[in-house]
Amino acid sequence: MEQIVAKLLIYGDLPVDSILMQLSNVYKDFHSGNYSKEDLITRCYRQVKRLLELGTSCAFDKNLWHNYLTYLLIMDENPFSLTCEKVGSKDGSVNHFAINDFHAFKELFDFDFSDLEKSLGIDCFSCITNYKAIDKPELMYNGNVSEKVKALSESLEKTESDDEFFDTVTSFYKRIGVGEFGLNKAFRIRELPEGKVEFNPINNMDAVVLNDLVGYELQKEKLIANTKAFVEGKKANNVLLFGDSGTGKSTSIKAIVNEFYSEGLRMIEIYKYQFRMLSQLIAQIKNRNYKFIIYMDDLSFEEDESDYKFLKAVIEGGVETKPDNILIYATSNRRHLIKETWKDRRDIEQDGDIHRSDTMEEKLSLANRFGVTIGYYKPSRQEFYDIVKVLAERNGIEMDEAELRLEADRWELSHGGVSGRTAQQFITHLQGK
């Protein structure tokens, strides 16, 4: 194995503590003959445990070794894989090195652990290459990662030549992508010491779809139209969803990401204190082959806050043009985002010629930079009943309609008033009884 790993060039920059490098070192010591049997057994078990942990977290099955190698191929963001993601595999000298690496990976796919197992008296590698996972649907894992890794792993198992292996991997890069962005829908960010941004996948994103949001058809149509134009490479606007709480603003954003994920849409959620990282965030994603929504939930600023100026510069007005593959979607309970006071209106000319003050213009200019604004308002009483009725039917709750309305009225009186959120909470309450 150590000789195979040594052949890797494009994919050879693996961390020393990676499973593959650690097993390579095990084989290096094994072939040298200068080793302690107990030490090698311990080291083998340690790496097998790591494979089991990865397999459990991603719900891998059948051949964990193949799943792991496939996971490495998918996650490695190198110049070759990133180019394939953007333009596909093109004729070029780099393909020669890539095929050599894929030949090595094919050897690793077919690697026989039996000599090591026989010498050490262990069978752990035989077990993980014929592995049956425990079916536990309640376990939290990322379904996108699991499905895509297992599907590509099974396709690579069937390849019969280096060229076929090459075509299978590169077509995956072009069709799905590479790294975390290829496998995940949504991310949060964390600032690294060197000033860069780390993207952390949101593994348990709500699987809500737009049909789950009862009502608000005009709002959904407007949001879909703008997002559809965006993913198709047409001109599209930043979007502000404003209005009463519990009306489905955040749900609409999650649903739109689920709706267009297969077309390359990804979401990055950021918070107000992270606005100063916006420029670095954009620099790291502007050349990727995805469409990104930078999502800001419950966006608003108090009178003494100035972080909104970072956002203004990014949306429109900075020296650098915002890339075409990035839009900003925000939700807010405030139409104008920034708290406005009566003293902001004091700058009025004495001759009766009225004009907005500079302070007001400064504050209102942020909301005006969202090209699409969509209002979500509390439903009427009848609309609230309609939402409750539809949700009850969807969840198999059988109750006389008059009684259902009466119970819904009692619930909303002490739970925030009429809204889609209150209706959903009421249905959840009924399900738990």
Side-chain angles (χ1 to χ4, degrees):
M1 181 182 288
E2 72 276 18
Q3 294 177 359
I4 300 173
V5 172
K7 298 175 186 176
L8 294 173
L9 191 155
I10 296 175
Y11 293 86
D13 192 21
L14 293 169
V16 176
D17 64 345
S18 65
I19 296 173
L20 183 57
M21 293 302 294
Q22 289 296 310
L23 287 178
S24 176
N25 289 332
V26 165
Y27 267 93
K28 183 178 180 180
D29 292 343
F30 175 64
H31 289 141
S32 73
N34 184 22
Y35 64 87
S36 162
K37 182 177 179 180
E38 290 74 18
D39 176 61
L40 281 195
I41 291 174
T42 300
R43 289 162 63 187
C44 286
Y45 283 171
R46 190 175 294 131
Q47 301 314 311
V48 168
K49 180 184 177 182
R50 294 175 67 188
L51 285 169
L52 291 170
E53 289 171 347
L54 178 64
T56 301
S57 65
C58 298
F60 292 159
D61 200 3
K62 296 181 180 177
N63 193 320
L64 298 189
W65 176 242
H66 288 176
N67 291 162
Y68 167 67
L69 293 173
T70 304
Y71 185 74
L72 287 183
L73 287 168
I74 292 175
M75 296 301 295
D76 199 321
E77 295 183 2
N78 56 63
F80 173 76
S81 61
L82 291 173
T83 300
C84 290
E85 173 190 275
K86 200 161 185 68
V87 299
S89 60
K90 302 291 185 182
D91 290 336
S93 299
V94 70
N95 288 2
H96 170 75
F97 300 111
I99 289 176
N100 283 342
D101 277 21
F102 291 150
H103 175 76
F105 265 97
K106 197 165 185 345
E107 288 185 296
L108 290 171
F109 259 74
D110 300 332
F111 194 80
D112 185 359
F113 291 95
S114 59
D115 286 346
L116 180 67
E117 288 186 318
K118 184 176 180 181
S119 297
L120 299 181
I122 58 178
D123 64 354
C124 53
F125 294 105
S126 298
C127 289
I128 64 168
T129 53
N130 187 25
Y131 185 76
K132 179 172 175 54
I134 299 174
D135 185 19
K136 286 191 174 181
E138 69 275 12
L139 290 177
M140 297 294 290
Y141 66 89
N142 193 318
N144 287 314
V145 175
S146 177
E147 293 165 11
K148 288 179 172 56
V149 171
K150 289 192 292 187
L152 180 58
S153 178
E154 290 178 8
S155 296
L156 292 174
E157 289 172 354
K158 298 172 185 176
T159 60
E160 297 179 355
S161 67
D162 297 343
D163 287 338
E164 192 177 351
F165 197 100
F166 175 92
D167 291 339
T168 303
V169 175
T170 54
S171 64
F172 179 93
Y173 287 156
K174 178 58 180 168
R175 182 170 46 90
I176 304 297
V178 59
E180 297 284 12
F181 290 136
L183 294 178
N184 298 281
K185 295 179 182 179
F187 304 83
R188 294 189 180 95
I189 64 171
R190 183 174 71 90
E191 187 175 16
L192 297 176
E194 58 269 26
K196 287 193 173 184
V197 171
E198 179 182 73
F199 298 93
N200 298 317
I202 300 174
N203 293 329
N204 56 340
M205 182 173 167
D206 193 349
V208 64
V209 294
L210 285 168
N211 285 338
D212 293 335
L213 182 62
V214 182
Y216 300 98
E217 298 304 321
L218 291 177
Q219 289 88 336
K220 290 189 288 187
E221 286 178 14
K222 203 171 181 180
L223 187 62
I224 289 171
N226 191 74
T227 309
K228 191 172 189 296
F230 178 49
V231 298
E232 290 177 352
K234 301 174 183 176
K235 292 295 183 181
N237 281 298
N238 301 303
V239 179
L240 172 63
L241 283 66
F242 70 93
D244 301 310
S245 62
T247 51
K249 301 184 296 296
S250 300
T251 299
S252 295
I253 301 291
K254 296 173 195 171
I256 211 74
V257 174
N258 289 328
E259 188 99 5
F260 290 97
Y261 164 71
S262 61
E263 298 179 47
L265 185 66
R266 303 292 185 267
M267 182 180 80
I268 301 172
E269 183 177 17
I270 70 169
Y271 304 102
K272 278 197 296 186
Y273 73 90
Q274 298 175 319
F275 283 177
R276 58 188 175 80
M277 293 186 264
L278 273 169
S279 295
Q280 182 57 50
L281 184 159
I282 290 172
Q284 290 180 224
I285 64 176
K286 64 182 180 181
N287 292 320
R288 298 304 298 266
N289 195 35
Y290 304 99
K291 301 294 184 179
F292 291 96
I293 286 175
I294 298 179
Y295 170 50
M296 303 164 186
D297 190 28
D298 198 17
L299 184 64
S300 64
F301 299 91
E302 298 305 318
E303 186 179 1
D304 58 346
E305 290 184 292
S306 60
D307 288 345
Y308 69 91
K309 294 181 179 179
F310 291 106
L311 180 55
K312 279 179 59 178
V314 167
I315 294 178
E316 184 182 331
V319 175
E320 185 177 8
T321 303
K322 182 168 63 64
D324 291 335
N325 69 329
I326 296 170
L327 283 183
I328 293 173
Y329 281 20
T331 67
S332 178
N333 295 335
R334 290 179 182 170
R335 169 65 179 84
H336 294 300
L337 301 180
I338 305 170
K339 185 176 180 180
E340 181 187 346
T341 63
W342 282 107
K343 70 180 181 180
D344 294 333
R345 297 176 176 263
R346 289 176 185 166
D347 184 15
I348 301 177
E349 290 187 0
Q350 298 300 314
D351 62 0
D353 187 15
I354 300 174
H355 69 278
R356 295 282 176 88
S357 72
D358 291 341
T359 304
M360 282 181 56
E361 289 293 344
E362 166 73 8
K363 290 188 171 185
L364 296 178
S365 64
L366 175 58
N368 292 339
R369 296 190 185 200
F370 288 88
V372 174
T373 54
I374 306 174
Y376 283 67
Y377 304 103
K378 281 188 180 295
S380 65
R381 178 68 58 175
Q382 183 58 50
E383 288 170 334
F384 176 67
Y385 291 150
D386 292 341
I387 293 172
V388 169
K389 181 180 177 181
V390 171
L391 291 177
E393 290 173 352
R394 286 182 181 177
N395 290 278
I397 295 174
E398 297 181 2
M399 184 181 291
D400 178 73
E401 187 171 340
E403 183 184 358
L404 184 67
R405 289 187 174 192
L406 180 61
E407 290 297 321
D409 285 339
R410 289 173 177 168
W411 177 267
E412 67 87 5
L413 283 174
S414 58
H415 292 84
V418 292
S419 71
R421 178 182 295 154
T422 303
Q424 181 60 66
Q425 291 171 344
F426 169 62
I427 295 301
T428 303
H429 164 71
L430 293 181
Q431 288 177 300
K433 290 178 67 175

